[in-house]
Amino acid sequence: MLEGIFEEGDIVRFTDHSRYRGAMGTVKGIASDYDGKEYYVLVDGDDDIYNYHVEHGDYLKWVSPEELEPDELELSFKPAFQIGDVVNTPNGIETVREIIITNISGTTEYIYETSPLDSDDKVNRYHITSLEFLYHDPIWEDYFMNLVQDSLPEWRGEIYNLKAFDYYGFEDITFDNDYQNDTLPPDIMKYILEEYTVGGRINAVLASKKNRREIEKVLNMKPKQLDEIRNSIKIKINDRNKGEIDLDYKKKISNKRKFQFTELEVLAALEISKLDSLHDQPRNHFPIEMTNSQIMKSIKEAYKAAHKISKRQVRNSYITKYVLYNKVEPVKGSILYEGISKNGLTIRFRYNFDYNVIEIAYPVIENDNVINEKF
C-alpha cells in the first residue's frame, strides 16, 4: 500500500494533523481531480454515507489489524492445568508456576511455564500435549502466586510533564533518549494522554455527527456553542500544563483566562466520555483537571501498590509494533495489574517484561467521572 492512497472499504484513522484527530472510519467513496484523489469517510457510529470529505488522504492513515484487536487475549475454555499442579514433563517431574496465553503465529492458546521441584530458578515452557497431571500442591501454588505477584521491578525515572517536550504545540517531536529507559517513557505517556484523556479524545468523539447531535440535545446547545466549548476545554488543558512547567506563563494568563472548568464544560466533557469507546467497549478517561504530570504521578503510585489481575500474555500488539522502539521478539510477555493511587483513583496498567516498560495505563472509574476536585 502507498502512503496516502486508499481504496473503498479501507479502515482509516484521522491523523494528528486533522481536526478529527483519533477518529476511525471507513472509506466509502473516492473522487478524482487534477490534484489527485479525494476521499469520503464514514466515521464509526455514523450512518451518513458521505460523512467527511478528506483531500488527497493527507489526513488519513491505515488502521492496522493490531489496532483493532482487543487489549486482552481471551480463550473460551479454561486452562487444563493450574498454578501449583505437579506434572510429568519431558524433563522430569516439575511444578506449574505460571499459565501464559500466547498469540505469536495467529493462534491463541495456553502455554504452561514450569520449574523442577528442586530449583525454582530454572524455567521451562510446555504445550498441553507435553504434560501429564500428577497432583496439586497448595504450597507450591501459594509460593508461585506470590512470586509472580511481586515481580514488578522498581520504578525507573522521574515524574515529568509531557508538555515540556512540546511547549510550542508541535505534535511531531522526537523525545530525548535519556527517557527511553524509564518505566513510563515519553512515547507511551503520549499515547496514554491521546487515548485515555478527554483532551486527547475530544476531537475523535465530536467527529461523529451522531455524537454531536446527542450532546447538543442533552445539553440543549447549538452546534457553534459545542465547538466553542470544545475549544475552551482544549485551551484550559493546555494552559494548566503550560502553567505547571512555566510559572511566568501562569502569571501572564491568570488575569486573562481562568484555569477552572465551567459547569457546562464539565457536563460536556462527561457526555464526551460517555460516548467514547474502543472496540465497542466504553473507554475511561483520567479526570480533566489532572495535568500530565499528575496523571503520571498517579500511575506511579498505582504501580507501587499494584496487584496482578490477568494471566501473562505473549503477543505482538499495536503498542509494541507501532509505539515502542527497538522491536524485540515477545518472550517474557506482559501482565495486567491494578493499583490505587494516593488520591483514590483506581488505575490499570499493562507491564511489558520484554521492553521493561508500562505498555498502557488507564483509570477504572465507575460512570467515568471526568472531574474530581481532589486534583
Side-chain angles (χ1 to χ4, degrees), residues 171-326:
E171 292 171 338
D172 291 334
I173 52 178
T174 301
F175 299 116
D176 194 320
N177 287 332
D178 291 343
Y179 293 85
Q180 296 305 329
N181 292 321
D182 286 4
T183 297
L184 191 49
D187 303 282
I188 297 294
M189 192 64 209
K190 181 174 183 283
Y191 181 81
I192 291 171
L193 294 174
E194 288 175 345
E195 300 296 322
Y196 295 99
T197 67
V198 172
R201 291 293 298 167
I202 192 168
N203 284 352
V205 174
L206 295 184
S208 164
K209 294 178 181 179
K210 182 179 180 182
N211 288 345
R212 289 182 64 93
R213 288 193 295 265
E214 187 168 336
I215 295 172
E216 289 163 6
K217 180 179 179 181
V218 170
L219 299 181
N220 191 26
M221 62 171 61
K222 296 190 179 298
K224 183 178 179 180
Q225 188 179 10
L226 179 55
D227 285 330
E228 290 172 349
I229 290 292
R230 183 231 310 260
N231 294 336
S232 180
I233 289 174
K234 295 185 71 174
I235 287 172
K236 287 180 180 179
I237 290 173
N238 181 71
D239 285 348
R240 291 171 67 84
N241 283 293
K242 235 175 174 181
E244 187 176 78
I245 62 176
D246 186 343
L247 296 180
D248 290 336
Y249 178 82
K250 185 175 183 179
K251 292 177 183 178
K252 180 180 178 181
I253 69 167
S254 61
N255 295 326
K256 296 181 180 179
R257 289 197 295 266
K258 297 290 186 181
F259 281 84
Q260 290 75 24
F261 295 97
T262 67
E263 181 179 355
L264 189 56
E265 288 166 352
V266 172
L267 291 174
L270 180 59
E271 293 303 317
I272 288 167
S273 293
K274 289 178 181 178
L275 294 171
D276 195 13
S277 64
L278 179 67
H279 311 309
D280 297 324
Q281 296 297 317
R283 186 197 304 238
N284 282 341
H285 307 84
F286 287 95
I288 57 173
E289 284 205 348
M290 292 182 74
T291 63
N292 296 346
S293 60
Q294 287 174 333
I295 290 173
M296 188 176 187
K297 181 181 178 184
S298 70
I299 295 173
K300 179 180 179 181
E301 291 169 350
Y303 181 92
K304 291 189 172 182
H307 60 277
K308 173 188 171 187
I309 62 170
S310 80
K311 291 180 174 60
R312 186 184 298 268
Q313 64 177 37
V314 178
R315 68 183 294 190
N316 288 307
S317 68
Y318 174 79
I319 307 297
T320 57
K321 190 170 182 179
Y322 294 99
V323 179
L324 294 174
Y325 295 117
N326 302 320

Side-chain angles (χ1 to χ4, degrees), residues 22 27 51 63 71 96 130 257 334 363:
V27 176
N51 189 275
V63 173
D71 179 60
V96 176
S130 300
R257 289 197 295 266
S334 61

Side-chain angles (χ1 to χ4, degrees), residues 316 320 325-331 352 354-355:
N316 288 307
T320 57
Y325 295 117
N326 302 320
K327 304 296 185 294
V328 299
E329 189 70 22
V331 176
N352 190 302
D354 291 302
Y355 290 87

Side-chain angles (χ1 to χ4, degrees), residues 73-75 77 101-104 106-110:
L73 291 174
E74 294 183 1
L75 287 168
F77 54 92
I101 301 180
T102 68
N103 187 315
I104 301 300
T107 301
T108 302
E109 60 184 349
Y110 291 115

Side-chain angles (χ1 to χ4, degrees), residues 85-96 114-118 122 124 126 130-132 134:
D85 283 355
V86 177
V87 292
N88 198 11
T89 80
N91 292 305
I93 297 177
E94 300 184 351
T95 306
V96 176
T114 66
S115 287
L117 298 181
D118 59 353
K122 186 176 180 180
N124 297 308
Y126 298 102
S130 300
L131 301 178
E132 177 189 5
L134 298 178

Side-chain angles (χ1 to χ4, degrees), residues 63-80:
V63 173
S64 69
E66 292 87 354
E67 195 169 359
L68 296 174
E69 292 175 353
D71 179 60
E72 196 69 21
L73 291 174
E74 294 183 1
L75 287 168
S76 59
F77 54 92
K78 295 182 179 180

